[in-house]
Amino acid sequence: LVDDYDERRMKGRLEALEPLALLQHLMEEGGLKQVDLVDCFGSQSAVMAGKRRINSEHARRLSRRFGLPLAMFVR
């Protein structure tokens, strides 16, 4: 019961985050580093530096990797 409540509460908060902030949160929670997401971004570190936006291909890969809706990574 508590887990269900926490999951619903956290989901609402995650949906409110901008895509880059969401990604940073997911990385922090999962103990991931930029190098761990090479499969999603290739060698493009400009996204993580905030210089480029997450494009549709990045969003698709991130959605699949984290098991979240695509819309959470595209705004």
Side-chain angles (χ1 to χ4, degrees):
L1 191 59
V2 172
D3 289 339
D4 288 341
Y5 172 78
D6 285 342
E7 186 175 322
R8 282 193 308 265
R9 198 170 120 221
M10 188 55 144
K11 185 177 181 191
R13 289 182 181 171
L14 291 179
E15 289 173 348
L17 292 174
E18 290 297 316
L20 184 57
L22 171 62
L23 178 58
Q24 291 168 337
H25 171 77
L26 293 169
M27 289 175 66
E28 183 178 315
E29 288 295 309
L32 300 172
K33 297 183 189 237
Q34 187 172 335
V35 70
D36 297 322
L37 296 177
V38 169
D39 59 325
C40 296
F41 294 111
S43 61
Q44 296 181 6
S45 61
V47 171
M48 295 303 300
K51 295 179 182 177
R52 299 185 86 193
R53 298 188 74 162
I54 295 173
N55 67 32
S56 60
E57 183 62 24
H58 296 150
R60 185 180 61 76
R61 292 176 184 170
L62 290 167
S63 172
R64 195 174 325 136
R65 173 164 181 129
F66 291 106
L68 295 171
L70 179 67
M72 293 181 77
F73 294 102
V74 179
R75 297 214 183 137

